[in-house]
């Protein structure tokens, strides 16, 4: 049973529960308000924290700038005091002031270093060094005003260098980095200025400069301090470059053995400095460059010694011999590898410069004979130099060019033994041997006929080398023995072979020989015959055929032209002789087994055919031009028999059509159908064959070109023809074509025939339409136009339906 309290007790309990509920509700409302506020605060974007402004200059930098500026200002003040206010004091006062200030300033860095103020101490030391320079100037003004300025500066710079060195080595100032580099800078002046003051001449001054460079080199090699090393290296390179340039100029301008020997001694001294530096610093990057410089300076010294006693033509060979002699040092095992490589590069540089000297003569020998193209059969020259140079100036002192070329070629063959560089060296040697053979006849001034034979032998030799050096099936490999733990595959390196180079050289020589042969008629015929036979014989080598076979055909075409000109034939008859070359090309292309040679041979034959057509066209003999075109069509048709050259049939058809047109023009035929029907009939036959093999082929593709070839020109002719015969025949033909198209449901005949028939009918009815138009009143045409528009608008839907039916009907046709 449930116990119910008395009403008063129950009312009290209810009031208590209500108060608790109110308290709980207030608590929940307070919590809700806090959560809403928090959510609103999270939804608002939080502003990014503003970074503190970054200082544009760090504190140490600001400090250094202030110190440098302070030192500069104090130095300027001291200079102003010395130069301007000096005269207000006596000699004792001057010495006392300057000496006291200098000693005080030089002593100030000691306590500064003890307190750790290193930058301030460096600045004060710089002021002190500047004051010593002012002391030297003041001393000169007071006690040695009459002394030679150059000599005094030399002595003062030597004393200052010694004082600054001693100051930088003192125990309490040895931590300063400024005195020693400053002393080294001051040491650059004494020797050179002393040589100038002593009137030692250019040789003495250059020697002083080089000695200073050697001193700087020694300091750079031995002093460990980085600031001193950098200063010494700058001085060594600067003074060394100055001294080397001066010594080289003295060597090149020396007029006697004595002067050349003194200049050579200077260059050898500079070379010794560079070699010593390279030997001591083999691990540095500059070692290779220093070794190259040493080698070049040695060559300049030795070659400069021999130059005054040799003829001018032997100057370059003398330097070249000295450069080649450097290769002996490469085999000295005692020399570091870096030095040996540098000397080898120096030798290569000397040989390269010598080859650059030979380029003008090689260029004249190769390109000079081209000028004979403007003087064909004008007469044989006296010797080979005249034949090669023609009107070009002959380079002076070029008698030794063949010697330079041959010597460098021998060096490449004998000296280069590395597996990587050996094929390249052989290729270079082959090119240099060819250049030697090219310039030798002109240099020796051999007779013209002998020179032609020499060029022919050179061409044959280059072809023989190309035939003997077969291309490798795969690139040569440079491999290393793999270690037991190595998993890497051997490295494959492709090397160039001399074979292609020999082929190119043979072509270049043959071109030069062909131009050289243009001097006389017998020479031209003999040379072109020999070149044709030579390249034809070389074509039996499969790897040469892609180049030599078309070259033989080209020379055969030129031989045909030369034969016709020698026989006095007109160009159109020479064209018939030239056509023998396309025939030979077509036969040769059909028999060649190498696909690489087929296309070049066919291209050469095509070019020869174009040459024949050009010769025939130049004569304005239309029957002969038609014959040449027809023969070209026969040749092309013969090539089209091959399964892989079926496309040549189109070219053959085009040539036959052109031949027909030219023949008709020769007969003065003005009827366009005579030109178009020979195109239309074969085109329609081919279209019919195409439709029989492929019933899905479009009639536009099969019959469109053939029909348009005749209908369109005939329509244009009919519109300008005042007679009725042509329009009648054209209308009958167009009607027949239209009926055939409707009968067989073919779009092209139907639309083309209908269009031509309509236009032809309009042309015939045009006069009558014009008469009717003139007889009508002027208001009749607008009225008729309005009625027509109304009729069209009234029957618009019916017309659209008819158009759809017609579209569907045409769409069902093929």
């Amino acid at each position: 049973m449930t116990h119910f309290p008395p009403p008063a007790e129950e009312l009290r309990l209810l009031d208590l529960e209500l108060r608790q509920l109110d308290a709980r509700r207030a608590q929940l409302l307070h919590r809700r308000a806090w959560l809403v506020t928090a959510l609103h605060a999270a939804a608002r974007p939080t502003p990014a924290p503003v970074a503190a402004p970054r200082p544009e200059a760090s504190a140490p930098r600001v400090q250094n700038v202030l110190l440098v500026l302070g030192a500069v200002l104090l130095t300027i003040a001291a200079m102003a005091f010395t130069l301007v206010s000096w005269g207000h004091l006596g000699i004792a006062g001057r010495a006392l002031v300057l000496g006291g200030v200098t000693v005080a300033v030089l002593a100030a860095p000691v306590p500064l270093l003890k307190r750790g103020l290193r930058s301030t101490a460096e600045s004060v030391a710089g002021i002190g060094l500047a004051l010593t320079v002012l002391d030297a100037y003041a001393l000169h003004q007071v006690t040695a005003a009459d002394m030679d300025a150059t000599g005094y500066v030399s002595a003062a710079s030597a004393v200052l260098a010694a004082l600054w060195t001693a100051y930088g080595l003192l125990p309490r100032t040895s931590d300063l980095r400024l005195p020693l580099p400053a002393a080294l800078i001051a040491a650059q002046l004494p020797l050179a200025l002393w040589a100038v003051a002593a009137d030692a001449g250019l040789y003495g001054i250059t020697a002083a400069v080089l000695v200073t460079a050697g001193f700087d080199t020694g300091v750079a090699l031995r002093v460990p301090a980085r600031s001193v090393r950098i200063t010494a290296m700058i001085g060594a390179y600067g003074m060394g470059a100055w001294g080397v340039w001066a010594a080289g100029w003295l060597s090149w301008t020396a007029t006697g053995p004595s002067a050349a020997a003194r200049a050579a001694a200077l260059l050898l001294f500079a070379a010794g400095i560079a070699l010593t530096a390279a030997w001591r610093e083999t691990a540095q990057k500059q070692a290779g460059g220093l070794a190259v410089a040493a080698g070049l300076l040695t060559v300049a010294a030795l070659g400069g010694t021999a130059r005054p006693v040799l003829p001018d033509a032997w100057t370059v060979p003398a330097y070249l011999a000295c450069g080649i002699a450097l290769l002996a040092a490469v085999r000295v095992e005692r020399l570091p590898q870096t030095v040996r490589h540098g000397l080898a590069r120096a030798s290569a540089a000397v040989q390269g410069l010598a080859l650059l000297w030979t380029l003008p003569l090689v260029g004249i020998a190769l390109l000079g004979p081209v000028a004979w193209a403007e003087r064909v059969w004008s007469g044989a020259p006296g010797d080979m130099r005249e034949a090669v140079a023609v009107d070009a100036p002959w380079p002076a002192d070029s008698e030794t060019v063949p010697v330079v070329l041959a010597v460098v070629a021998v060096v490449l063959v004998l000296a280069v033994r590395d597996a990587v560089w050996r094929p390249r060296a052989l290729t270079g040697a082959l090119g240099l041997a060819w250049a030697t053979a090219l310039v030798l006849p002109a240099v020796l001034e051999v007779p013209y006929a002998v020179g032609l034979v020499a060029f022919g032998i050179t061409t044959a030799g280059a072809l023989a080398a190309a035939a003997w050096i077969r291309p490798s099936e795969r690139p040569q490999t440079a491999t290393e023995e793999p270690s037991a733990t190595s998993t890497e595959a051997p490295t494959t390196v492709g090397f160039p072979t001399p074979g292609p180079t020999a082929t190119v050289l043979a072509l270049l020589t043959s071109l030069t020989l062909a131009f050289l042969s243009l001097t006389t008629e017998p020479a031209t015929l003999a040379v072109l015959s020999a070149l044709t036979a030579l390249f034809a014989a070389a074509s039996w080598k499969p790897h040469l055929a892609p180049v030599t076979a078309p070259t033989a055909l080209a020379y055969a075409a030129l031989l045909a032209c030369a034969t016709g000109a020698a026989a006095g034939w007109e160009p159109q008859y020479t064209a018939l002789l030239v056509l023998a070359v396309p025939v030979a090309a077509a036969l040769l292309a059909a028999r060649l087994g190498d696909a690489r040679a087929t296309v070049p041979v066919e291209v050469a034959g095509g070019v020869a055919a174009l040459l024949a057509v050009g010769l025939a066209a130049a004569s304005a003999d239309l029957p002969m031009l038609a014959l040449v075109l027809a023969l070209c069509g026969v040749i092309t048709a013969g090539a089209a028999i091959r399964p892989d050259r079926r496309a040549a049939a189109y070219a053959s058809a085009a040539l036959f059509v052109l031949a027909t047109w030219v023949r008709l023009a020769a007969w003065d035929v003005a009827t366009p159908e005579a030109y178009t029907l020979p195109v239309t009939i074969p085109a329609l036959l081919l279209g019919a064959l195409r439709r029989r093999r492929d019933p899905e082929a479009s009639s536009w593709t099969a019959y469109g070109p053939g029909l348009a070839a005749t209908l369109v020109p005939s329509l244009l002719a009919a519109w300008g023809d005042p007679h009725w015969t042509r329009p009648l025949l054209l209308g009958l033909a167009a009607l027949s074509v239209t009926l055939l198209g409707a009968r067989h449901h073919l779009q092209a005949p139907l639309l083309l025939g209908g269009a031509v028939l309509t236009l032809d009918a309009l042309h015939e009815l045009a006069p009558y339409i014009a008469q009717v138009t003139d007889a009508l009143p002027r208001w009749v045409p607008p009225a008729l136009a309005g009625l027509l528009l109304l009729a069209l608008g009234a029957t618009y839907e019916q017309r659209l339906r008819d158009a759809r039916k017609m579209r569907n009907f045409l769409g069902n046709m093929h």
Side-chain angles (χ1 to χ4, degrees):
M1 295 180 64
T2 302
H3 173 70
F4 292 98
E9 183 65 20
E10 185 177 359
L11 180 61
R12 186 183 64 81
L13 293 175
L14 289 176
D15 291 337
L16 180 61
E17 290 291 339
L18 289 174
R19 285 194 298 270
Q20 292 178 351
L21 289 175
D22 291 337
R24 180 60 178 167
R25 184 173 183 275
Q27 182 182 4
L28 293 176
L29 288 174
H30 183 271
R31 180 63 178 173
R32 180 182 180 278
W34 183 87
L35 291 174
V36 169
T37 304
L39 289 176
H40 282 296
R44 289 194 298 268
T46 304
V50 180
R54 184 178 179 180
E56 296 182 358
S58 61
R61 182 172 297 178
V62 173
Q63 164 195 298
N64 293 334
V65 170
L66 293 176
L67 291 175
V68 170
L69 288 176
V72 170
L73 292 176
L74 287 176
T75 304
I76 293 174
M79 292 175 61
F81 172 77
T82 305
L83 299 176
V84 179
S85 302
W86 184 256
H88 298 289
L89 298 175
I91 296 177
R94 300 170 188 173
L96 181 63
V97 171
L98 274 179
V101 172
T102 303
V103 172
V105 172
L106 291 177
V110 176
L112 293 174
L113 288 175
K114 290 182 178 181
R115 296 185 179 184
L117 303 176
R118 184 184 185 88
S119 299
T120 306
E122 294 284 356
S123 300
V124 174
I127 297 172
L129 299 180
L131 287 175
T132 57
V133 176
L134 294 176
D135 289 339
Y137 169 75
L139 185 61
H140 177 265
Q141 293 295 321
V142 174
T143 62
D146 298 334
M147 185 177 179
D148 179 57
T150 305
Y152 181 80
V153 172
S154 173
S157 58
V159 173
L160 289 176
L163 290 176
W164 292 351
T165 302
Y167 180 71
L169 295 177
L170 290 175
R172 295 185 178 181
T173 57
S174 58
D175 293 336
L176 296 174
R177 289 176 293 184
L178 184 59
L180 292 180
L184 190 58
I185 293 173
Q188 307 302 307
L189 303 176
L191 285 178
L193 294 178
W194 172 80
V196 173
D199 293 330
L202 293 178
Y203 290 94
I205 296 173
T206 304
V209 171
L210 290 176
V211 170
T212 304
F215 168 75
D216 293 333
T217 303
V219 173
L221 293 176
R222 293 185 174 276
V223 177
R226 187 170 180 272
S227 59
V228 178
R229 286 175 59 90
I230 293 175
T231 306
M233 290 175 61
I234 295 174
Y237 282 115
M239 301 297 285
W242 180 16
V244 166
W245 179 84
W249 183 78
L250 291 173
S251 176
W252 186 254
T253 56
T255 56
S258 176
R262 286 183 289 169
L266 295 174
L267 290 172
L268 289 176
F269 178 67
I273 295 173
L275 184 61
T276 302
W279 198 323
R280 290 290 303 272
E281 298 292 327
T282 55
Q284 300 295 327
K285 297 180 180 179
Q286 302 91 338
L290 290 171
V292 172
L296 294 176
L297 291 173
T298 303
V299 171
L302 300 180
T305 304
R307 185 187 58 81
V309 298
L310 293 175
D312 292 339
W314 288 93
T315 298
V316 174
Y319 283 101
L320 177 62
C322 298
I324 295 173
L326 286 179
L327 294 176
V330 177
R331 300 186 180 277
V332 179
E333 298 295 337
R334 295 181 58 186
L335 292 175
Q337 186 177 7
T338 306
V339 175
R340 286 186 287 166
H341 287 175
L343 295 177
R345 293 189 183 97
S347 177
V350 173
Q351 297 177 57
L353 293 174
L355 293 179
L356 286 178
W357 174 72
T358 66
L359 285 182
L361 186 59
V362 175
I364 290 176
L366 184 63
L367 302 177
V370 177
W372 287 108
E374 299 178 353
R375 308 176 183 185
V376 177
W377 296 353
S378 59
D383 54 38
M384 202 60 186
R385 179 175 296 186
E386 183 181 349
V388 166
V390 192
D391 293 332
W394 188 257
D397 303 326
S398 58
E399 294 81 3
T400 56
V401 167
V403 177
V404 172
L405 294 170
V407 168
V408 177
V410 172
V411 170
L412 288 176
V413 173
L414 298 179
V416 181
R417 298 293 182 181
D418 184 74
V420 175
W421 290 96
R422 181 66 176 175
R424 306 173 190 179
L426 294 178
T427 303
L430 179 62
L432 293 175
W434 167 80
T436 304
L438 193 69
V439 302
L440 191 59
V443 171
L444 298 179
E445 297 182 89
V446 300
Y448 172 68
V450 177
L452 291 182
V453 174
F455 271 74
I457 294 174
T458 303
T459 305
L463 282 178
W468 177 67
I469 305 172
R470 294 182 58 85
S472 57
E473 298 295 333
R474 57 184 179 181
Q476 295 174 328
T477 58
T479 60
E480 296 180 357
E481 291 294 331
S483 61
T485 59
S486 176
T487 58
E488 296 182 358
T491 303
T492 302
V493 181
F495 299 132
T497 57
T501 304
T503 306
V504 173
L505 297 179
L507 289 176
L508 293 176
T509 312
S510 66
L511 288 173
T512 303
L513 178 58
F515 282 111
L516 281 173
S517 68
L518 297 178
T519 56
T520 61
E521 176 183 324
T524 303
L525 296 176
V527 167
L528 291 179
S529 301
L531 290 177
T532 302
L534 183 62
F535 281 93
S539 300
W540 289 102
K541 292 291 184 179
H543 65 283
L544 296 182
V547 177
T548 56
T551 304
L553 293 173
Y555 283 127
L558 295 177
L559 177 61
C561 295
T563 302
W569 294 353
E570 296 183 2
Q572 63 270 26
Y573 300 107
T574 303
L576 295 177
L577 185 60
V578 174
L579 283 180
V581 176
V583 173
L587 296 175
L588 182 60
R591 294 181 175 274
L592 284 175
D594 190 359
R596 296 176 302 170
T598 302
V599 174
V601 166
E602 291 175 339
V603 170
V607 173
L610 290 176
L611 176 61
V613 173
L615 290 173
S619 64
D621 189 346
L622 295 182
M624 288 300 299
L625 178 58
L627 177 60
V628 171
L629 289 172
L631 292 176
C632 291
V634 171
I635 297 171
T636 311
I641 298 175
R642 295 162 50 196
D644 57 339
R645 290 295 183 267
R646 297 298 188 195
Y650 297 103
S652 178
L655 288 170
F656 282 127
V657 170
L658 287 175
T660 305
W661 288 355
V662 172
R663 191 63 193 177
L664 291 172
W667 287 337
D668 294 329
V669 176
T671 303
E673 289 78 9
Y675 296 91
T676 57
L677 285 177
V679 179
T680 296
I681 294 173
L684 292 178
L685 292 176
L686 291 175
L689 292 176
R690 172 74 180 277
R691 289 273 299 170
R692 178 174 295 181
R693 293 181 180 179
D694 184 12
E696 298 297 329
S698 172
S699 62
W700 290 103
T701 304
Y703 304 117
L707 292 173
T710 294
L711 291 177
V712 174
S714 297
L715 179 62
L716 295 176
W719 273 72
D721 193 345
H723 304 287
W724 60 271
T725 307
R726 183 189 300 277
L728 178 61
L729 294 177
L730 177 62
L732 292 175
L735 179 60
S736 301
V737 171
T738 304
L739 294 176
L740 287 174
R743 172 69 180 79
H744 296 284
H745 298 276
L746 299 175
Q747 287 185 0
L750 178 63
L751 296 181
L752 285 175
V756 172
L757 181 61
T758 302
L759 294 174
D760 185 62
L762 288 175
H763 173 264
E764 292 303 309
L765 296 175
Y768 303 100
I769 295 173
Q771 292 177 5
V772 172
T773 304
D774 292 338
L776 291 175
R778 294 190 176 183
W779 58 267
V780 174
L784 293 176
L787 291 175
L788 179 62
L789 291 176
L790 289 176
L792 289 175
T795 59
Y796 185 73
E797 185 177 0
Q798 181 63 34
R799 299 300 183 187
L800 289 177
R801 187 181 299 112
D802 295 340
R804 294 192 193 96
K805 290 181 179 180
M806 180 60 68
R807 184 184 62 186
N808 294 333
F809 174 73
L810 294 176
N812 293 328
M813 294 183 179
H814 294 286

